[in-house]
Amino acid sequence: MTQPSPHRLPTTVTPSHYDLELAPDLDAATFTGNEVVDVTVHEATDVVVLHALDLDIAEAWFEQGGRRLTATATLDHEAETATLTLDGTLDPGAATFHARFHGVLNDLLVGFYRSTFTAEDGSVRTIACTQFESTHARRAFPCWDEPAHKASFAISLDVPADLLAVSNAAEVAREPLADGRVRVRFAPTMVMSTYLVAFVVGPLEATEPVDVGGVPLRVIVPEGKLDLTAFALEVGAFSLRFLADWYAIAYPGDKLDLVAVPDFSFGAMENLGCVTFRETLLLVDEAHATQAELQNIADVVAHEIAHMWFGDLVTMGWWNGIWLNEAFATFMEMLTTDAFRPEWQRWTAFGLARSAAFDTDSLSTTRPIEYEVVTAADAEGMFDVLTYEKGASVVRMLQQYLGEDRFQAGIRLYLARHAHGNTETTDLWDAIEEATGEPVRQIMDSWIFRPGHPVVSVTAADGVVALRQDRFSFAPDPAAGVERPVDEPRSVPVVLRLGRPDGAEVHRVLLDGPEATLPVDAAPAWIVGNHEGNGFYRVTLGDEELAAVGGRALAELSPLERYGLVEDEWAQVLAGGSSVGRVLGLLRNLAAETDLSVWQRIIGVLGALDRVVAPDQRDDLATWIRALLGPALRTLGPTPAPGEAERTTALRAALTEALARLGHDREQLDLAAAHFTELGAHPHAVDADLADAVVRVVAASATDDTWEELRRRGAAARTPQDRLRHQGALADTDQVHLVERFCALVLTDEVRTQDGLFLLRRALGNRHAVGEVWRFVTDNWDQLGTRFPSASLPRLLEGIRSVTQRELASSVAAFLADHPVPQGATVVRQHQERMWVSVALAERVPPELARALA
């Protein structure tokens, strides 16, 4: 067989089962390993290539038909492979591969790595854990580290007797070793890809297992944190039951552990049966957490459990298909969380995440959801907002267009047909098409393999509703070096709702050309161009249509539809196709709004205006903001009412923060200062959502003493959420010297490696100190690249998107031209283009804003 690509393994020899023994030494930060791999030889060969990186292979050989064929291993660090040259020839058929090897428990948060935490007695304790996606199993053991090379795994770990060891499958044996350690053996797994293998060893504690339909579920935590596990257990049990029922397939593992890891580069990882999380997304004090913090945990737990079927049981054949794994798991997390806590209105809240996807997808440098992946660096670049949020939005659009039951039937057919196998994206569309009879592949190919999204213009006249689609994009700045994209029409499943005197009519139109018309008996009183906000397209309305739906008919709209009005109107400002005055008029009409998500989008628009307003107009903007937000907050009252909905409590906090920070409301600033003092003595003096807002309000104008108090509270925090709340707020102060002090902290052990670049990104968003923060980034670029996971650098650079000064933007662009980031190069180009959109907005809008405020 031939090698299809220099970045893909030959398929001459393929694995089917690994017996893997590993012995980590946590004190020395090393490990040793032995493996025996059942393989199939597809054609005679005396050379075998597999993956290995940062491993010393002490001995390797094959056994076949009573023969032992000794292998000489040649490692290629750049290709991340080991070439095994044999002293004989393997014949077609079955064989076994044997290897003894050793490696280092690294500090890179990938492969087999170290994580540390401070115990309650002040001692520093060490955990050894894994993160193998996308291509890091090769750092822990020689393997065929590509998703198509599925195999089963029987894992054994030699560990000190006082440590807990977990892996993908249930523990089946434990035997003492002569040196005092124990060998913990785990049951064989189902066949799965190497990136899903996991093992964690350390001073850990486990909850008592909860039986979920015959599957034992536990939460595993660093010692001393069992009291923070109840919510995760509740969410985990609900998700496991809900998803097994929704998929109509039993959970494919023999147990499920949810493992909190102190240092973790991603949010979580869907290792079969051994899902790993960063602590803030698993451990929580439910009684004293914000609604958003609880929702985040529910989302992530549901997302990872959804992967047990969609990703683990059925896996993409190559990394170009990772979008489908992640997009579908994101869709399922929304579905699951919405069922878990309907009062959270999860699909409405998803509007915020969808806005982030729209924002990137409105750039010339956006990409198709699925594109060719050649190298490991290409695979790392797939984990972005287009894969997760745009992908999930497109899946949601398809579900709503087809109908929920028919869509579910197609998913069930797909999973049952391809269980334990590998697939391409088209396999999913074909299954849904078979189940529904709809042209699913035709519709979805235009969304998956082409970048961007359309804006649908909607007008009504002369007995028809006229639709037109165009490629939507922000107005490019010449300095960005890009042109406005144009595109061929795609298949847009438009769903309209037309207002009538006796109710509303819903119409479905597959807009597969530039234009279409919908005959109507009489002109509608109002038009919603994206019914329930389910379509991944923007809508632009004529002045009369906007006046109707954004004025007289607002009460007829759902929260997500009102959210969409604000989102689309502001996007048109960024595109150069609408006015700030038109946007402010819509916001005034929404003054009586009661939904949290709609207000969050309104506040987002006001925050964007606050960044670009001329200094001599800032007080006028603040006055306008107080006039808009003040009555809404007064309507809610100062404190939660008994039995108040969680989203209402969160809305009060959001309005309080916006009035203080954007409206410069003296009353709210004074109340925040008083609450901050009160919280120092009584940490639960106010509700968690308000406490969260208070920290940010106080931090924004922090003095040296207040800043140090925030730092102290972060260090003393009992929960991971409280630690990040205070630590992140240190980046928000308007005192430049304190922001510079914060930047220096990022390079110390006071800030966890997993958090450092995210916190520095937040500092880049501080308009008072962005220049100083950028200088810190450039001065310490090499250290940032070695201290933190390389895949996180694009996330740091997301902070440049809000830069509004042309001179600074030019400096940023010049530096990044000289210092390319191979992991996520496309994402970095998108950040730069979005930065130039912000610069252009800051130069174009202030005069217009001044006129609108007057």
Side-chain angles (χ1 to χ4, degrees):
M1 294 185 184
T2 59
Q3 184 172 340
S5 162
H7 302 285
R8 303 277 287 269
L9 292 178
T11 54
T12 310
V13 176
T14 56
S16 59
H17 175 77
Y18 292 75
D19 279 307
L20 182 61
E21 295 180 357
L22 289 162
D25 185 332
L26 274 59
D27 294 328
T30 60
F31 65 91
T32 59
N34 301 303
E35 66 179 346
V36 179
V37 186
D38 295 337
V39 299
T40 299
V41 181
H42 298 281
E43 61 182 57
T45 185
D46 58 3
V47 175
V48 177
V49 182
L50 70 166
H51 288 114
L53 179 62
D54 296 336
L55 295 174
D56 290 322
I57 300 177
E59 189 177 15
W61 70 96
F62 284 84
E63 293 182 0
Q64 186 182 54
R67 298 183 300 144
R68 173 177 168 135
L69 287 76
T70 301
T72 301
T74 303
L75 300 178
D76 184 331
H77 189 272
E78 182 176 351
E80 303 181 359
T81 58
T83 298
L84 307 175
T85 303
L86 311 183
D87 63 357
T89 299
L90 284 169
D91 298 323
T96 57
F97 168 63
H98 302 252
R100 297 192 179 98
F101 53 92
H102 56 91
V104 173
L105 295 173
N106 68 67
D107 295 315
L108 303 174
L109 306 189
V110 292
F112 199 8
Y113 71 93
R114 294 189 327 137
S115 175
T116 61
F117 69 97
T118 302
E120 292 180 343
D121 63 4
S123 62
V124 176
R125 308 298 302 276
T126 301
I127 295 171
C129 51
T130 57
Q131 171 57 39
F132 290 162
E133 192 177 27
S134 302
T135 55
H136 301 295
R138 63 194 66 176
R139 295 176 183 268
F141 57 98
C143 57
W144 286 258
D145 197 14
E146 294 175 0
H149 291 301
K150 283 191 163 186
S152 55
F153 294 82
I155 296 171
S156 298
L157 297 172
D158 295 350
V159 300
D162 61 338
L163 300 183
L164 179 63
V166 295
S167 186
N168 300 95
E171 180 181 325
V172 292
R174 176 179 291 257
E175 60 184 89
L177 302 176
D179 60 6
R181 294 178 300 164
V182 294
R183 176 165 294 160
V184 183
R185 297 188 183 276
F186 302 93
T189 68
M190 71 174 186
V191 294
M192 62 184 191
S193 303
T194 48
Y195 79 90
L196 298 169
V197 175
F199 24 89
V200 185
V201 177
L204 304 166
E205 297 179 294
T207 63
E208 289 298 317
V210 174
D211 187 292
V212 184
V215 178
L217 170 70
R218 301 184 299 178
V219 176
I220 294 174
V221 300
E223 286 180 348
K225 298 185 178 181
L226 281 176
D227 60 315
L228 302 177
T229 59
F231 185 71
L233 273 174
E234 180 187 1
V235 174
F238 179 91
S239 300
L240 195 52
R241 290 191 185 95
F242 176 85
L243 290 163
D245 178 70
W246 197 93
Y247 291 131
I249 297 175
Y251 170 70
D254 61 1
K255 58 92 178 175
L256 179 57
D257 291 329
L258 311 178
V259 186
V261 178
D263 297 288
F264 199 73
S265 60
F266 289 89
M269 178 61 210
E270 66 269 20
N271 316 301
L272 177 73
C274 185
V275 182
T276 42
F277 297 78
R278 62 172 53 203
E279 290 184 340
T280 191
L281 295 175
L282 188 67
L283 307 182
V284 70
D285 178 357
E286 182 179 3
H288 302 109
T290 69
Q291 186 269 335
E293 288 163 352
L294 295 176
Q295 181 175 286
N296 285 345
I297 290 173
D299 283 349
V300 175
V301 170
H303 181 107
E304 303 308 324
I305 295 177
H307 270 308
M308 300 297 107
W309 292 265
F310 216 102
D312 294 10
L313 180 66
V314 180
T315 313
M316 68 279 166
W318 180 244
W319 296 110
N320 62 298
I322 193 65
W323 82 268
L324 188 56
N325 274 15
E326 298 302 342
F328 194 83
T330 302
F331 167 83
M332 289 305 299
E333 90 184 42
M334 302 299 155
L335 202 68
T336 306
T337 300
D338 194 53
F340 175 64
R341 291 282 174 89
E343 64 272 21
W344 286 351
Q345 300 174 43
R346 192 62 189 90
W347 284 114
T348 300
F350 181 58
L352 290 171
R354 197 173 67 158
S355 290
F358 270 135
D359 193 72
T360 293
D361 206 41
S362 300
L363 302 170
S364 300
T365 48
T366 188
R367 62 164 177 83
I369 294 177
E370 181 171 330
Y371 63 93
E372 184 180 13
V373 173
V374 178
T375 68
D378 292 339
E380 296 289 350
M382 290 285 282
F383 295 91
D384 66 0
V385 70
L386 297 175
T387 288
Y388 287 79
E389 280 77 17
K390 181 182 179 182
S393 299
V394 170
V395 172
R396 171 69 168 175
M397 177 173 67
L398 179 65
Q399 180 221 27
Q400 292 297 295
Y401 185 75
L402 296 176
E404 296 183 13
D405 291 343
R406 295 204 301 164
F407 176 83
Q408 183 181 30
I411 298 300
R412 288 176 170 179
L413 175 62
Y414 167 79
L415 290 173
R417 177 173 292 167
H418 299 288
H420 305 292
N422 296 92
T423 61
E424 298 295 332
T425 298
T426 50
D427 293 321
L428 176 61
W429 307 148
D430 291 347
I432 300 175
E433 194 164 302
E434 181 178 334
T436 64
E438 299 284 352
V440 173
R441 188 191 282 214
Q442 172 197 332
I443 295 172
M444 296 307 288
D445 280 358
S446 68
W447 290 91
I448 300 308
F449 296 113
R450 287 166 55 187
H453 60 274
V455 55
V456 177
S457 304
V458 182
T459 55
D462 301 325
V464 298
V465 174
L467 306 176
R468 175 183 173 82
Q469 65 161 305
D470 296 282
R471 170 78 176 266
F472 181 85
S473 67
F474 294 149
D477 186 272
V482 298
E483 296 182 358
R484 200 161 212 155
V486 293
D487 203 358
E488 295 296 319
R490 67 184 75 205
S491 296
V492 187
V494 175
V495 184
L496 304 169
R497 194 166 80 256
L498 310 182
R500 299 296 188 189
D502 57 349
E505 301 171 353
V506 175
H507 296 270
R508 285 174 165 78
V509 180
L510 185 59
L511 179 59
D512 54 6
E515 298 178 344
T517 57
L518 175 69
V520 292
D521 295 335
W526 47 267
I527 303 172
V528 172
N530 190 355
H531 175 58
E532 293 298 338
N534 291 319
F536 194 77
Y537 57 88
R538 297 191 186 277
V539 174
T540 182
L541 299 170
D543 290 340
E544 291 186 10
E545 286 81 10
L546 180 63
V549 76
R552 300 184 300 274
L554 275 175
E556 305 293 332
L557 273 58
S558 70
L560 194 52
E561 290 167 344
R562 300 194 298 273
Y563 181 104
L565 279 179
V566 179
E567 167 69 25
D568 289 346
E569 285 300 310
W570 177 245
Q572 287 292 343
V573 172
L574 294 173
S578 186
S579 68
V580 172
R582 180 167 145 141
V583 171
L584 294 185
L586 174 61
L587 299 191
R588 276 194 295 267
N589 289 343
L590 288 164
E593 179 60 55
T594 58
D595 181 77
L596 170 64
S597 298
V598 179
W599 270 116
Q600 286 172 325
R601 193 66 194 96
I602 292 171
I603 291 168
V605 169
L606 297 175
L609 292 174
D610 184 64
R611 291 192 73 92
V612 301
V613 66
D616 62 349
Q617 294 291 321
R618 191 172 298 281
D619 287 345
D620 292 341
L621 178 60
T623 299
W624 195 94
I625 290 172
R626 290 196 300 273
L628 181 68
L629 273 60
L633 181 59
R634 287 192 290 274
T635 298
L636 290 178
T639 56
E644 180 176 272
E646 291 170 87
R647 281 173 61 87
T648 302
T649 305
L651 173 57
R652 180 182 296 102
L655 292 171
T656 297
E657 180 183 354
L659 269 168
R661 296 187 66 179
L662 301 177
H664 308 155
D665 186 284
R666 189 72 258 165
E667 179 184 0
Q668 297 308 320
L669 289 166
D670 290 343
L671 277 174
H675 285 320
F676 185 73
T677 300
E678 191 178 7
L679 287 164
H682 306 287
H684 308 308
V686 299
D687 68 85
D689 287 275
L690 183 57
D692 184 59
V694 162
V695 167
R696 286 196 294 274
V697 169
V698 169
S701 57
T703 62
D704 286 54
D705 289 343
T706 303
W707 193 88
E708 288 295 343
E709 175 62 15
L710 285 163
R711 182 180 175 186
R712 185 197 67 77
R713 292 188 191 182
R718 176 72 182 85
T719 68
Q721 293 80 17
D722 212 28
R723 173 179 58 80
L724 275 181
R725 184 186 343 279
H726 289 88
Q727 207 166 58
L730 297 174
D732 294 349
T733 176
D734 58 6
Q735 300 298 304
V736 173
H737 72 282
L738 293 176
V739 180
E740 291 177 317
R741 189 184 304 173
F742 169 78
C743 290
L745 284 182
V746 170
L747 296 179
T748 71
D749 290 340
E750 185 170 334
V751 173
R752 301 203 75 91
T753 304
Q754 66 177 8
D755 301 324
L757 294 186
F758 294 95
L759 295 174
L760 205 53
R761 176 185 67 185
R762 181 164 170 172
L764 273 173
N766 185 329
R767 65 181 174 86
H768 302 284
V770 58
E772 288 78 8
V773 177
W774 179 249
R775 185 170 61 247
F776 175 86
V777 169
T778 58
D779 289 348
N780 295 278
W781 183 256
D782 291 341
Q783 187 175 357
L784 293 173
T786 55
R787 180 177 179 84
F788 300 104
S790 58
S792 296
L793 283 173
R795 302 183 186 189
L796 160 68
L797 293 172
E798 186 179 355
I800 69 173
R801 294 167 81 106
S802 57
V803 168
T804 56
Q805 304 99 328
R806 184 168 293 275
E807 183 178 355
L808 178 57
S810 297
S811 176
V812 170
F815 180 85
L816 292 176
D818 292 336
H819 300 80
V821 180
Q823 296 87 356
T826 298
V827 173
V828 175
R829 287 194 297 272
Q830 292 162 358
H831 294 337
Q832 291 187 76
E833 184 186 348
R834 185 61 176 86
M835 172 184 71
W836 288 113
V837 171
S838 297
V839 170
L841 185 75
E843 294 174 349
R844 185 177 74 245
V845 161
E848 187 182 339
L849 178 57
R851 290 192 297 272
L853 291 174

